[in-house]
Amino acid sequence: MNWLSKALPSRERGAALIIVLAFVVLLTGLGVAYLSRTTSDRQVAHSSFNQSNVDQLAQSAIDKVIGDLRQEIANGSTATVEPDGSTLYTPTAAANMVPQRSGNAAGAPNLIRISVRSDSMPAPGVKSRASAVNSTNNPSANGRSVASTRWNGHYLVPKGNTATDDSSPIPAFTNATPDWFYNTREYGADVLSSPNTDSNGKSVTVIGRYAYAVYAEGGLLDMNVAGYTTENTGTTQSGRKGSVAFADLTALGNYPIPNPDAGGVYQIDRLVGWRNYATTQPSNNFPDTGPPANKAFAYNFQTDTTPATNFYKYVINNTNGFLSPSTATWNGRTDQIFVQRQQLIAFRKAVGSTTSFSANVLQYLSTFSRETNAPSFSPSTPDGSTIDYAALANTATAVNPNFLSRRVTNGFTRFDGTTAVVGEPLVKTRFPLSRLAWITYKGPSAVVYAANPNDPVILALTGAGVSIATIQAGTVANIQACFGLTFGVNPGDPWTYSHGAANRILRLDEVAGREPDFFELLQAGILSGSLGQNTGGGVTGQNNNADGSGLVFPDIHMSNTTHHILTIGACIIDQADPDSIPTRIQFSPDGVVTWTAYGVENLPYITQLYPIAGTSPNDSTKWASYLLFELWNPHQNASTLPNSVRLRVDGAIGIFTGGNVGSKWITGTTPQIIANGGNAGQSVALNSAFSFSAPFPLTATNTTNAVPAPGPPAGGAFAVLPAIP
């Protein structure tokens, strides 16, 4: 019985067909989507793969170029393996301290070398392996090449047409652009006679090519630091030494940055205001130029002294070498830096070519020359001396060592709070000269400030731009750690140097568990053969008189290098401080006698003294010999004295007009003897109407006798120096 058979109506059969067709459409869509996605992924994968190949080729090219430079350093140096396993390379000749030049175009001083065929670079340089195919003049099979304007997109090569704004270089570079390096599957980097044939005529497969140009930017101005604002303070704050921030951008060769320019835009003020926004605290918006003029971004630099003063204080109180911008904020914004050169180029065009500074100036500018610039001093043989200072510099007891050879032997905490790791250079950074402000004639700056924040010394420091934070850092402990100095008790007392040895300054190899101080660094950096020079004996002249008199002047101190170094250091301190009181630093070379080193201020000094003879003022029938002092202010900017300067004199000293032949007594009521053994310690006031810019004898016309004060005079005048022990 066929009871399973059942007739299906046509309606049900149509529904089944529709369902099947729907599944077919769905599967077809999935298949198309899959194929589309895989095709796209395949393209992305190929692109990523090719990009990886390009990156790998570019990285290998960079490694080869840097490797050649490193090999050049090794070829031109003597290698010394340090105890920590690092290798120190000391140049065997002064010429090896800079890279050898090759292929560089005449008139392009920033260009060091390019990839060039048949390289003639001298040793110790590593010659280029470029092929005889130029990157500009020999297009590839698909017609691609690198134009000279693209090679000079950074503007480090001088422009050929100085009237345009493009990067077209000088003809010397256009006619000698870099040649190609070819990387082949068979030989790697190979010199080819054609794009697909090696030097033997054999066919090769080229997998990539590269060309390069190397530039030196170390001598360019870092625009993250250089340039200062318009000055309206009435005092000269610019032009100081010690920081690239005081570089005058209006004096850049033939293409200065104008301030203002022909359109009345203050380009340097705009630059500094944008870069140091939080520091200078401008009131207008960048890059507004007006009109009206008071809406210009840099307008406040011409109408208010505060922005310029803020920038000045920021510069002179900087202790990190400008390795990072200020963390201060103003109106919710911070200081800014140019991360790369293209940002500097874009900034130059920020307002348009009619009001931006010339593109020609870019050849003098950089953006990344800031670095931890550690000393790398290594003395050479001076003046034909037979002493091998270069070899001596690496010995354990060298006074003038190769700084890189002095390593940390025991870990300690550096003054900036970082940890000195065993094996790293002992002298890791340069000494911050802002610390010189700690040394005042009244004692440590922090102690003076704590006693009276309005002390004239503090007001003079802040008036010179020194921050309160810097002043407060000049504590007794910090000065001992950074200078090895301790102060006396009263204002005007001398400082005393003692840091590990009371009678001398330690060598760098003797400094352990701390950083070298200011005077130890001076001693290490100044050739010892140039210090402690004297007349060849302990005294000048002869002391043959039975009573002990005679023209005898001890000069044994001149042969003492410690005394010489302390004098140089005192002079550096005096040139940095705002007062006119010479710094005095004492030490004891033998533990018994105390010697004093003096600094030099912008004041008249005794430049000569010579004996002359005349009738004795006590007995006209007798002769007497005297010493005539000649005064001179050695500073180039010597002018009339701001105040009457008191000169302390001890001993029997006479006043004469003239000197040598034709000397005569001063006539009149003026005393002829201004000091004598029985009344020592008198002082002479040098009249402020004289500048002593030229050597001038000490006479009655420029001095007045003065009774020595029992103590320092009122503030603002020069203190009487107490007798030297």
Side-chain angles (χ1 to χ4, degrees), residues 204-230:
V204 293
T205 303
V206 176
I207 60 175
R209 63 179 181 174
Y210 63 90
Y212 65 82
V214 179
Y215 298 87
E217 295 192 44
L220 305 184
L221 291 175
D222 186 347
M223 294 307 291
N224 284 317
V225 181
Y228 53 87
T229 63
T230 300

Side-chain angles (χ1 to χ4, degrees), residues 48 229 290 336 482 522 538 592 708:
S48 178
T229 63
Q336 297 143 127
C482 297
L522 279 181
V592 178

Side-chain angles (χ1 to χ4, degrees), residues 72-96:
E72 178 181 338
I73 294 174
N75 293 344
S77 306
T78 299
T80 304
V81 179
E82 297 296 319
D84 63 340
S86 61
T87 302
L88 176 64
Y89 293 94
T90 304
T92 54
N96 297 342

Side-chain angles (χ1 to χ4, degrees), residues 576-608:
D577 64 29
D579 63 56
S580 297
I581 300 179
T583 297
R584 296 188 297 153
I585 302 176
Q586 293 184 340
F587 80 107
S588 179
D590 58 4
V592 178
V593 179
T594 299
W595 288 1
T596 304
Y598 295 87
V600 175
E601 294 280 6
N602 192 352
L603 297 171
Y605 290 87
I606 297 174
T607 182
Q608 279 194 83

Side-chain angles (χ1 to χ4, degrees), residues 321-406:
F322 302 97
L323 293 177
S324 59
S326 170
T327 57
T329 59
W330 174 252
N331 290 336
R333 293 173 56 185
T334 62
D335 284 2
Q336 297 143 127
I337 63 173
F338 297 109
V339 178
Q340 55 183 323
R341 188 172 184 83
Q342 291 303 316
Q343 288 184 334
L344 173 62
I345 296 173
F347 175 87
R348 189 198 68 82
K349 299 178 180 178
V351 185
S353 59
T354 58
T355 55
S356 60
F357 57 84
S358 170
N360 297 296
V361 78
L362 290 170
Q363 61 184 299
Y364 307 125
L365 309 180
S366 175
T367 58
F368 68 92
S369 60
R370 295 186 298 169
E371 60 182 1
T372 302
N373 194 1
S376 57
F377 172 80
S378 182
S380 59
T381 303
D383 304 326
S385 171
T386 57
I387 302 175
D388 188 352
Y389 281 91
L392 179 63
N394 293 310
T395 63
T397 59
V399 175
N400 303 124
N402 183 329
F403 273 38
L404 296 179
S405 69
R406 292 297 178 262

